């Protein structure tokens, strides 16, 4: 991958198409009682796919070549997108942010009802870990354990869920910079950091490389949320 914007655009377009193909394949239509339709509505709606792209770019940078389609890096990329989709489905619920639009269409609970949105989020979270536990033993057990632990840590109490709890508890309060950065590190930064680290682990990165990429991932996560907060104030919903 060279440094030109045209090359990056070509690279990301190709990776996005492959991610979409795998998500289409792995998010089941056959889940009962309309659950499959709700799950696919939550995931197969475009989006930036930033987390999968980070996984794949990191894996390619570490390995020197794109890993084979469907291998550990691709499974990690799709698993992170499923966790992200589940978090959005739950964040949009009336008991959380009570949003009615996302990416220009009705949010999941508006389209399918609150109970189905809750169940779809639960199912997407579980499916993310299923992807990291392929039934054909194509991934080494030690790699599977490490990736599952990284994903669980990034999405749980010390990551995304903890950050959301801080956010809800801080409504109407003025947080100092340290508290705000802690919330951002957990709520948004943890999954972005995990995207970088899981891509590196899937490509068998050395410990020094992992440490360097960890510094990058933490800075990226904070910068992403700072920009997002500014857009919340300065941009309109249509834009």
């Amino acid at each position: 991958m060279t440094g030109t914007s045209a090359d990056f655009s070509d690279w990301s377009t190709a990776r996005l198409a492959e991610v979409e193909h795998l998500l289409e394949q792995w998010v089941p239509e056959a889940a009962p009682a309309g659950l499959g339709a709700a799950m696919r509505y939550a995931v197969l709606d475009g989006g930036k796919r930033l987390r999968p792209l980070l996984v794949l770019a990191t894996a390619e940078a570490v390995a020197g070549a794109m890993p084979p389609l469907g291998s550990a890096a691709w499974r990690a990329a799709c698993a992170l997108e499923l966790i992200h989709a589940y978090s959005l489905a739950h964040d949009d619920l009336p008991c959380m942010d009570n949003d009615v639009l996302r990416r220009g269409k009705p949010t999941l609970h508006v389209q399918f009802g609150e109970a189905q949105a809750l169940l779809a989020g639960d199912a997407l979270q579980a499916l993310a870990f299923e992807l990291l536990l392929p039934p054909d033993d194509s991934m080494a057990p030690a790699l599977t354990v490490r990736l599952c632990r990284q994903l669980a840590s990034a999405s749980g109490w010390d990551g995304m869920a903890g950050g959301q709890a801080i956010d809800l508890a801080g409504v109407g309060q003025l947080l100092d910079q340290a508290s705000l950065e802690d919330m951002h590190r957990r709520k948004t930064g943890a999954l972005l950091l995990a995207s970088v680290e899981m891509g590196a682990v899937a490509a068998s990165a050395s410990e020094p490389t992992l440490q360097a990429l960890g510094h990058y991932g933490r800075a990226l996560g904070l910068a992403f949320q700072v920009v997002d907060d500014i857009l919340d104030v300065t941009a309109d919903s249509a834009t």
Side-chain angles (χ1 to χ4, degrees):
M1 194 165 44
T2 63
T4 69
S5 59
D7 286 336
F8 176 73
S9 177
D10 290 343
W11 179 90
S12 60
T13 298
R15 300 295 83 76
L16 286 170
E18 290 157 337
V19 167
E20 291 304 314
H21 171 73
L22 290 174
L23 289 172
E24 282 269 5
Q25 176 183 328
W26 284 335
V27 181
E29 291 184 78
L35 182 60
M39 293 168 68
R40 291 171 71 84
Y41 184 90
V43 177
L44 303 177
D45 62 350
K48 296 184 291 292
R49 308 298 194 214
L50 174 61
R51 290 150 192 84
L53 289 177
L54 278 172
V55 174
L56 297 171
T58 305
E60 183 176 356
V62 169
M66 181 57 57
L69 192 66
S71 63
W74 292 92
R75 286 181 171 274
C78 291
L80 276 152
E81 189 64 18
L82 295 181
I83 291 290
H84 178 56
Y86 124 73
S87 74
L88 297 181
H90 282 192
D91 283 356
D92 289 338
L93 287 168
C95 63
M96 294 281 192
D97 296 340
N98 196 22
D99 287 325
V100 297
L101 282 177
R102 178 165 299 276
R103 297 169 182 164
K105 69 178 188 179
T107 48
L108 190 62
H109 72 272
V110 171
Q111 187 75 12
F112 289 89
E114 291 180 34
Q116 194 76 307
L118 184 66
L119 288 172
D122 291 344
L124 290 171
Q125 182 187 44
L127 180 59
F129 290 95
E130 281 188 54
L131 294 190
L132 297 177
L133 295 161
D136 58 3
D137 297 324
S138 58
M139 287 170 56
L143 175 59
T144 292
V145 168
R146 190 166 184 182
L147 291 175
C148 284
R149 182 169 182 81
Q150 285 178 303
L151 186 58
S153 177
S155 57
W157 69 268
D158 195 33
M160 182 178 62
Q164 179 70 357
I166 295 171
D167 194 8
L168 292 172
V171 171
Q173 300 182 30
L174 185 63
L175 298 179
D176 60 28
Q177 182 172 337
S179 299
L180 190 63
E181 288 189 6
D182 180 49
M183 181 181 74
H184 289 339
R185 176 186 68 80
R186 297 170 187 267
K187 183 175 179 180
T188 304
L191 275 190
L192 293 174
L193 172 59
S195 301
V196 173
E197 291 184 332
M198 290 172 72
V201 166
S204 303
S206 66
E207 284 304 318
T209 299
L210 272 172
Q211 289 180 15
L213 287 169
H215 289 305
Y216 162 75
R218 278 183 283 274
L220 176 68
L222 182 59
F224 180 91
Q225 189 58 54
V226 169
V227 171
D228 196 53
D229 284 351
I230 292 170
L231 288 175
D232 280 345
V233 176
T234 62
D236 63 80
S237 298
T239 303

